[in-house]
Amino acid sequence: MDRLLTVEQAAERLGTGVRFSRRLIEERRITFVKVGRHVRIPASALDAFVAANTVQPRTAARHLRKVA
């Protein structure tokens, strides 16, 4: 079973504030679990969020312009 993290633990793992984690939950941009009145975020959901929002660097050949 996947480890469930508190909102505070998720924020620490992302390197952000708690407010950002709560906004992700409110906007339904990340998977979360409700345990009674508590909210938990699966560790795999954080990994998926980071992977989906990772931007790869451009290669040198892609952004060089042709000089006319």
Side-chain angles (χ1 to χ4, degrees):
M1 183 172 180
D2 201 4
R3 181 163 183 234
L4 297 176
L5 306 172
T6 64
V7 175
E8 292 79 11
Q9 290 170 328
E12 185 177 329
R13 188 164 171 179
L14 288 174
T16 64
V18 174
R19 187 174 178 182
F20 179 73
S21 295
R22 292 194 188 281
R23 189 170 32 160
L24 291 176
I25 292 165
E26 181 182 333
E27 295 173 358
R28 309 264 174 156
R29 293 173 50 198
I30 194 165
T31 301
F32 63 94
V33 177
K34 292 210 55 169
V35 181
R37 66 184 181 118
H38 302 284
V39 175
R40 299 292 183 257
I41 302 170
S44 62
L46 286 179
D47 295 338
F49 177 78
V50 169
N53 289 286
T54 299
V55 178
Q56 297 300 321
R58 293 183 181 178
T59 60
R62 272 187 161 176
H63 64 21
L64 290 178
R65 295 181 181 201
K66 288 185 177 180
V67 179

